[in-house]
Amino acid sequence: MVLSWGVLLPLGILVARFLKITLKQDWPNELDNKFWWLWHLRLQISGSVMMLIGLLLILNKPDPSTDDFIHWYLGWAVSLMGVAQIISGWMRGTKGGPTDVAEDGSMHGDHYEMTTYRKVFEYYHKFVGYSVLLLSAAAILTGMWRSNAPVWMWIGLLGWWMMLIIVFAYCQSKQMAVDTYQAIWGSNKEHPGNAMKPIGFGIRRRPENHQKKI
Ligand code: HEM
Ligand code: HEM
C-alpha cells in the first residue's frame, strides 16, 4: 500500500499534471506529446495492481477481525475510489481533432469538442483523484500506526512526501501545469475547446503568440 499510494500513484499524478509538455519539447511546433499519457497509464495501472495485491494480502490474514475502524473505513474508501478512478479513466470518451481524424474526414470527438461528457470526466477524475490522494495519506498513516511501523519508515515516508510537495510547488511556480487541450492541439482559437476556460485548479493556458524561452 505504501508503494502503491505513497510512491507510484502520486508520481503518476505529477507526470499527468506537469509533463503534458516536456522540458525539451518545442511547443507549439511539436504537439500531442504522449509522454505524460504513457507514464500516467503505466504508473496508475501498476500502482492499482499493487493496491489490489495489498488488499488480497490483508483480506487473507489468518485472523480477519478488525480492531481499527478508522483505518478500515479509510482503507475501503481509498480502495473503492481507486478502482472507480481506473474505470473513470477508461470511460473518458473519444478524442477526435486533427490528430485523430475519422475515415470520412470528421474530427468529432468528446475531447476535441469538449462535450458535456468530457467535462464531467475531467471534473470527476481530477476532483476525486486529488481527494483520494489525500485520504490515502491518512490511510497510510493510520495503517502504519496500527502496525507499529518502525521509526525509519515514518522518517522515510515523511521525507519523501516533503520532497513531492516541494517538486509540486516548484513545477507549479514554473507554470508547468498546462491545459491538456492546448498541449494536444495548440492555442489556435479555431479549435473549439480553446474558447472555454480550462478545468481544474491552477491550470494554465498559454497565449496564442507564445514563444519558447531560450
Ligand atoms: C492507502 C493505503 C491503504 C489502504 C487503501 C488500506 C486498506 C485496508 C483495508 C481495506 C483494510 C481492511 C480489510 C478488512 O476488511 O478486513 C485494511 C486493514 C489493515 N491495514 Fe491497511 N491500507 C492502507 C495502508 C496500510 C498501511 C501503510 C499499513 C501498515 C504499514 C496497513 C496495515 C493494515 C493492517 C494491519 C490492517 C488490519 C487491521 C486490523 O486487523 O485491525 N494498511 N487496510
Ligand atoms: C488510481 C488511478 C488513477 C488516479 C489516482 C488518477 C489521478 C489523476 C489526476 C489527479 C489527474 C489530474 C492531474 C492534473 O492536475 O492535471 C489525472 C489526469 C488524467 N488521468 Fe488519471 N488517474 C488514475 C488512473 C487513470 C487511468 C487508468 C486513465 C486512463 C485510462 C486516466 C486518464 C487520465 C487522463 C486522460 C487525465 C488528463 C485529464 C485532463 O487533464 O484533461 N487516469 N489523473
Side-chain angles (χ1 to χ4, degrees), residues 105-136:
S106 118
M107 293 202 269
H108 290 305
D110 289 308
H111 196 182
Y112 186 63
E113 289 163 296
M114 284 308 282
T115 57
T116 307
Y117 187 86
R118 172 75 195 191
K119 287 183 201 160
V120 170
F121 159 72
E122 285 197 22
Y123 277 114
Y124 176 89
H125 195 78
K126 291 181 186 186
F127 180 74
V128 174
Y130 284 111
S131 309
V132 66
L133 185 68
L134 289 181
L135 282 183
S136 76

Side-chain angles (χ1 to χ4, degrees), residues 1 50-62:
M1 289 303 190
M50 293 298 296
M51 174 185 85
L52 293 177
I53 293 174
L55 257 187
L56 281 181
L57 290 177
I58 204 74
L59 289 176
N60 279 316
K61 77 184 166 75

Side-chain angles (χ1 to χ4, degrees), residues 32 98 167:
D32 201 10
V167 169

